[in-house]
Amino acid sequence: MTGYTKPKAVVLLSGGLDSTTVLAETAARGYQLYALTVAYGQRHAAEIAAAKRVARAFAVVEHRIAQASLDAFGGSALTDAALAVPEDGSTRTTIPITYVPARNTVLLALALAWAEVVGATDLFIGANAVDYSGYPDCRPPFLAAFEHLANVATKAGVEGARYRVHAPLLYLSKAEIIRRGVALGVDYGLTVSCYQADADGRACGRCDSCRLRAAGFAAAGVPDPTHYQTG
């Protein structure tokens, strides 16, 4: 169509498997990609390096890295080195210590701020309510509530813009996510999902995130390209 301009979308990109799949899905839906990575004081910088690799691979319009020092408050094994990352693989009925207080609220707020500046009304996040650890900010009620907030708390929203929060992986299993990503040409070897990856981005193979990722590749029948620590 003559004169057609692709709509813009801000995609939260952690450098992990899920967010990379979301970036590929957003591209497939015909959006201009504005990727936002947040350095929130997580245990390692390997996932930020992975996000940079992924952003380059998808030739995004712009990739921003924002700072949000959630480690100043702690309360999570991902932001407080004094708290151990669980490695027992046990089934829990409570929210695990890897939950970062208000993380997705903060991340989406930053995505919303940038979206308002660049003129995007679509926010994409890799939240998942199936293969996840029970985090409250990965569930449909949270996403619906944030979408409502976006439309009443911004200049663009009150002037008629309609913000939408998209979570295309919300009801997919890890295996289904991987199959979708493979169909979209995602190179999962670029990604880092481990809660305690080393400086080279190699995964521990023991934390909940590593276990979910490995099980997902096995269930999907896709070779696991994850780089693991040895010894």
Side-chain angles (χ1 to χ4, degrees), residues 74-178:
S76 168
L78 300 192
T79 57
D80 186 342
L83 300 176
V85 172
E87 296 182 352
D88 56 8
S90 62
T91 300
R92 303 177 186 86
T93 56
T94 58
I95 296 171
I97 199 168
T98 49
Y99 163 71
V100 180
R103 178 177 59 182
N104 282 352
T105 304
V106 173
L107 269 56
L108 276 172
L110 292 170
L112 176 62
W114 193 26
E116 190 169 21
V117 171
V118 300
T121 55
D122 293 279
L123 311 179
F124 283 78
I125 184 171
N128 181 266
V130 180
D131 284 343
Y132 79 127
S133 299
Y135 301 154
D137 55 0
C138 287
R139 297 183 298 187
F142 164 73
L143 298 171
F146 192 92
E147 182 172 279
H148 174 72
L149 178 149
N151 285 295
V152 300
T154 57
K155 177 178 182 289
V158 299
E159 290 181 349
R162 178 69 176 91
Y163 285 103
R164 294 178 294 174
V165 176
H166 304 266
L169 312 184
L170 194 60
Y171 298 110
L172 300 183
S173 69
K174 192 65 74 178
E176 289 170 329
I177 292 168
I178 290 168

